[in-house]
Amino acid sequence: GEDVEQSLFLSVREGDSSVINCTYTDSSSTYLYWYKQEPGAGLQLLTYIFSNMDMKQDQRLTVLLNKKDKHLSLRIADTQTGDSAIYFCAESSGYGGSQGNLIFGKGTKLSVKP
Amino acid sequence: DAGVIQSPRHEVTEMGQEVTLRCKPISGHNSLFWYRQTMMRGLELLIYFNNNVPIDDSGMPEDRFSAKMPNASFSTLKIQPSEPRDSAVYFCASSHLRRDKDTQYFGPGTRLTVL
């Protein structure tokens, strides 16, 4: 069945770039997402990418998609202590496929050290 | 918009008691999802509804769990009887199927502790 894999932990120093990686199995995925969860809060959508795109940039965030390898990454430039959170990768089969269901990875806990 | 509203935010109960968690989705959304999050198992999808109809409840752990969506603006997740292993954070999320790229918007969660 569909599956999304992520590494569980990442530690970086403030000011460095962070790269969080994700692999997925559903080749029919239409959209891929990155969600952020801060302590004690729900998941918040950070960004998404359509499957026919290779890259999407949004301020400090860069999403790269390698559809051939089913690999998605999120790069955070100039990482700040406020970026410390759990980051979830998710995939959707889009319209008429999964009927709106998303498959989430287990999340990568990003720790930013001053 | 107020976003997805969940109540209560925290619930502490004793084993064997009935627990009801409530969710109000974003107005105009037609899909609603219930998730459970624990340290051990991560984020698990329990059940989801499209247009108030349950589509997939394969994630509901046992018959002790039930969910209803009587109308487009309200859903409940009930656990009866509750057990200590049900302790978790329960999230509700909503989306508009076929619009907004299936983006799900999450509520703040209900932290359930069963003693």
Side-chain angles (χ1 to χ4, degrees):
Chain A
E2 299 164 340
D3 195 16
V4 176
E5 299 280 345
Q6 302 177 238
S7 53
L8 295 181
F9 302 99
L10 177 65
S11 181
V12 300
R13 291 207 174 275
E14 191 173 19
D16 288 350
S17 291
S18 307
V19 179
I20 303 171
N21 295 300
C22 167
T23 57
Y24 60 97
T25 57
D26 185 1
S27 58
S28 67
S29 291
T30 306
Y31 294 101
L32 295 123
Y33 308 79
W34 285 104
Y35 280 80
K36 176 183 180 182
Q37 184 181 29
E38 296 182 344
L43 278 70
Q44 176 186 19
L45 178 70
L46 266 185
T47 186
Y48 67 89
I49 187 168
F50 190 48
S51 60
N52 69 353
M53 298 170 64
D54 298 325
M55 184 180 85
K56 181 178 180 181
Q57 188 149 5
D58 183 2
Q59 299 182 339
R60 293 191 296 121
L61 305 179
T62 303
V63 178
L64 295 178
L65 175 60
N66 182 328
K67 198 172 181 182
K68 175 176 169 289
D69 295 337
K70 300 193 188 79
H71 182 268
L72 183 74
S73 68
L74 173 70
R75 178 177 180 270
I76 305 173
D78 187 25
T79 312
Q80 303 297 307
T81 55
D83 295 323
S84 294
I86 301 175
Y87 291 81
F88 291 88
C89 171
E91 62 170 348
S92 167
S93 295
Y95 305 146
S98 63
Q99 301 195 57
N101 187 20
L102 300 185
I103 308 299
F104 285 88
K106 292 197 182 316
T108 299
K109 185 173 183 178
L110 174 64
S111 298
V112 182
K113 299 180 180 180
Chain B
D1 198 319
V4 175
I5 299 172
Q6 291 187 248
S7 64
R9 292 294 312 276
H10 302 273
E11 176 82 28
V12 180
T13 190
E14 293 188 345
M15 183 174 63
Q17 297 297 306
E18 177 180 295
V19 175
T20 299
L21 311 181
R22 296 173 176 80
C23 175
K24 177 178 168 53
I26 292 173
S27 177
H29 282 187
N30 56 9
S31 293
L32 184 139
F33 306 81
W34 282 102
Y35 291 90
R36 177 172 69 176
Q37 186 178 39
T38 61
M39 290 289 290
M40 291 294 293
R41 301 170 73 99
L43 191 67
E44 301 173 276
L45 176 66
L46 300 177
I47 185 171
Y48 72 98
F49 298 82
N50 285 343
N51 297 312
N52 310 337
V53 175
I55 300 301
D56 184 355
D57 66 354
S58 60
M60 297 285 262
E62 300 169 33
D63 291 344
R64 298 185 296 106
F65 286 69
S66 62
K68 292 182 180 179
M69 192 163 186
N71 57 60
S73 59
F74 184 65
S75 177
T76 59
L77 177 68
K78 187 178 290 187
I79 309 172
Q80 165 64 17
S82 58
E83 296 183 4
R85 60 192 167 124
D86 301 331
S87 297
V89 181
Y90 291 81
F91 289 104
C92 175
S94 71
S95 71
H96 192 290
L97 185 63
R98 298 182 183 276
R99 192 177 77 190
D100 201 17
K101 294 86 182 172
D102 288 345
T103 299
Q104 291 183 18
Y105 296 85
F106 281 72
T110 295
R111 182 173 293 276
L112 173 64
T113 303
V114 183
L115 303 175

